[in-house]
Amino acid sequence: MLALVMTGIFLVAATVTIHAVGSTSLIQYLARRFADADGYIKKGNVLHAVTLTAHVLILLHVLEVVLWALAYLLVVPGDPLDTFEKAVYFSVVTFTTVGYGDITLTEHDWRLLSGIEALDGIFLVGWSTALLFMVVQRSWTTIGRSRPNA
């Protein structure tokens, strides 16, 4: 049980770090490249800023899912996750809380690890949603400010 808890803590810390570094770097880049002095996205850069944000956030999630998949391959005994493809599939389904149930961990002690991944996924997807919403809001404010008064 201690190994499971330590593995879960390590993976959550690693994925939160990946997300923190990635999203902070993204915000700094967006501010330098696309924002005006007030921090709003410049009118001609809205589409690029929003799509770049979405792509970077998806890339971060892919990295996080792959990290969980590698951990399953390394630490979870048994046959359900005997290939990288199965481990990534299981990790995606768990991280996104879809939970199809076609692959399950058979070792009772390690099943809890997938629950920890699901909680991690909920947290990180929520973080991404908030960040994307912030970029869209900054873009929307710019568009609204540039409209002439009716």
Side-chain angles (χ1 to χ4, degrees), residues 29-36 40-42 45 48-49 52:
Y29 178 77
L30 292 173
R32 281 192 317 269
R33 179 79 169 83
F34 301 117
D36 62 17
Y40 294 103
I41 306 298
K42 296 174 193 169
N45 295 322
H48 194 179
L52 177 65

Side-chain angles (χ1 to χ4, degrees), residues 49-107:
V50 172
T51 55
L52 177 65
T53 300
H55 286 107
V56 168
L57 292 173
I58 288 170
L59 177 64
L60 291 175
H61 288 294
V62 168
L63 291 173
E64 293 151 4
V65 163
V66 167
L67 180 63
W68 276 97
L70 290 171
Y72 288 129
L73 284 174
L74 293 173
V75 300
V76 177
D79 290 335
L81 304 177
D82 58 353
T83 67
F84 181 68
E85 179 187 7
K86 286 181 184 177
V88 169
Y89 170 76
F90 177 76
S91 184
V92 167
V93 169
T94 304
F95 190 87
T96 59
T97 69
V98 172
Y100 291 128
D102 54 341
I103 298 176
T104 58
L105 298 180
T106 56
E107 293 291 326

